[in-house]
Amino acid sequence: MTKASDGADWRPDSPRDGQNGGLRGRPSDRLDLTTSPWRGAFTAAGKHTARVRFLRGAMLVGAAIAIALILGVALFDPFRRLPRNISIGQVSVNGTQITVESPKITGYQTDGRPYEVKARSGLQDTTTPSILELSGIEAKIGMVDASTVEVTAAHGLYDGTQQKMTLQGDVRIWNRIGYDIRTKTATVDFERGSLMSDEPVSVILNGGTISANQMDIRDSGRKVSFEGAVKSLIEADSAGTESTDAPAHREK
Amino acid sequence: ISPALAQKSNSGGVLPGGNSKEPINVEAAKLDYFDKEQKLVYTGNVVATQGESKLKATTLVIFLTPKDAGEPAGAPSSSSQMRRMEAAGPVTVISKDQIGTGDSGIYEKSESKVYLIGNVTLTQGANVTKGDKLIYDLNTNQAAVTGRVRSMFLPSNSDDANHKKPAKTQ
């Protein structure tokens, strides 16, 4: 028989109980003389049921939380360490490599000018999450004078931590109203707003063209340096009439 | 004395003898473009050619007309024109049969004149004139050498060329 450990300390019934004829109250008054083996059993059973009910609930809830945790870690953890703000299309995962359709990365350069990098597809290895291999790249970099420089390239490597991107394959950098630069490779440093290319480069400007072996654009367009066999053609303004300029683009 | 050349003068290009319709080709080892100051600095055996005229120097700085505010950075704007050129290091200006050399050279578009400064020599055919400064007026294509001038004219004994060879115009 379960020994009622704490000894049911039944309170003497208040008259109110008595009236409603609770069976519980009246027999214990009369049978109080002996500690009946059943006396505590009822409450013990009650406690037991309560405990069982609690455990059952706890197990359910615990299982749900565990599943949520595992899912969370599995699904979101690799993305959590991606560059700040990235929006992605369809995602496919194989091994540690995630291929992302039409990724779009936006960020801000040190002085607050925006930049945005879009691509046809991006490949990321979860072991090096801040490196994105992009193909079919279109980037837009806000310049100091609020004009935007657009950059396109066949493919490139975007490093989120250093905010740098190296581009390869018919790289084109152009500013609608200023210049149109063509080269094979280029490295863009978004934070410093600089762009460097150590492959032959050709530039079409409004008033002429420049070609050289290397090019280095510093602090977002304030200084542009060309090196190695620099050839530049400056269209002389047509004599006499000052106003007309001859921005004829002559393909070199 | 200015060995003036009777040349049908068209409004001069940037280089003596050149005409301004021709584009200017500038080749060098290095070019720096400064957007704020709107200037192009060529360094390393610079060769600037316009039509038949040629200028050689070690450095050539081309000042463009200042951009008005709001022009895009990173490139000379469409309205920017060359307003002044400064060449340094031994400067040589070749224009048809005239060769002028000096320590430094300046082209000032507003005056449409080219100056060569510092032990200048101007040779034309066999005639050589030395002086301190050469002023070449692009409109009249007249070169004037000033300062301590020493000229040497060789009597041309060949009968066909008369004393002043009329320069061919383009």
Side-chain angles (χ1 to χ4, degrees), chain B residues 9-120:
Chain B
S9 82
N10 46 38
S11 76
V14 169
L15 298 179
N19 89 45
S20 65
K21 294 241 171 4
E22 303 268 349
I24 303 148
N25 265 301
V26 186
E27 297 185 8
K30 188 172 193 298
L31 161 64
D32 290 322
Y33 165 71
F34 296 92
D35 185 58
K36 237 207 279 313
E37 302 95 344
Q38 271 301 285
K39 90 182 162 184
L40 298 151
V41 179
Y42 292 90
T43 40
N45 44 60
V46 184
V47 176
T49 40
Q50 181 179 39
E52 278 167 34
S53 317
K54 200 189 285 287
L55 176 137
K56 289 189 191 152
T58 14
T59 65
L60 176 67
V61 180
I62 298 181
F63 296 89
L64 304 170
T65 44
K67 291 202 280 192
D68 30 39
E71 298 268 3
S77 74
S78 54
S79 64
S80 71
Q81 278 138 18
M82 195 183 301
R83 65 179 166 80
R84 179 184 165 90
M85 270 205 307
E86 277 167 17
V91 178
T92 317
V93 176
I94 303 159
S95 139
K96 291 195 218 23
D97 60 349
Q98 271 190 337
I99 300 171
T101 59
D103 294 346
S104 69
I106 295 175
Y107 156 71
E108 187 59 60
K109 180 174 167 93
S110 50
E111 305 160 24
S112 75
K113 280 204 171 73
V114 175
Y115 301 90
L116 279 179
I117 300 147
N119 50 67
V120 167

Side-chain angles (χ1 to χ4, degrees), chain A residues 143 145 147 149 175-181 203-208 210 217 220-224 226, chain B residues 33-36 38-40 64-65 67 71-80:
Chain A
M143 303 309 276
D145 58 20
S147 71
V149 171
N175 173 341
R176 281 264 174 280
I177 12 166
Y179 47 79
D180 183 344
I181 301 171
V203 182
I204 302 163
L205 300 164
N206 284 350
I210 299 177
I217 301 182
S220 46
R222 286 207 189 79
K223 182 182 179 207
V224 185
F226 297 90
Chain B
Y33 165 71
F34 296 92
D35 185 58
K36 237 207 279 313
Q38 271 301 285
K39 90 182 162 184
L40 298 151
L64 304 170
T65 44
K67 291 202 280 192
E71 298 268 3
S77 74
S78 54
S79 64
S80 71

Side-chain angles (χ1 to χ4, degrees), chain A residues 166-212:
Chain A
T166 41
L167 303 163
Q168 271 108 19
D170 51 58
V171 179
R172 186 175 174 216
I173 305 130
W174 81 103
N175 173 341
R176 281 264 174 280
I177 12 166
Y179 47 79
D180 183 344
I181 301 171
R182 313 279 173 104
T183 178
K184 276 214 283 303
T185 67
T187 316
V188 182
D189 182 330
F190 288 111
E191 238 161 324
R192 285 207 339 275
S194 75
L195 184 137
M196 201 276 302
S197 164
D198 47 21
E199 294 264 352
V201 70
S202 78
V203 182
I204 302 163
L205 300 164
N206 284 350
T209 62
I210 299 177
S211 66

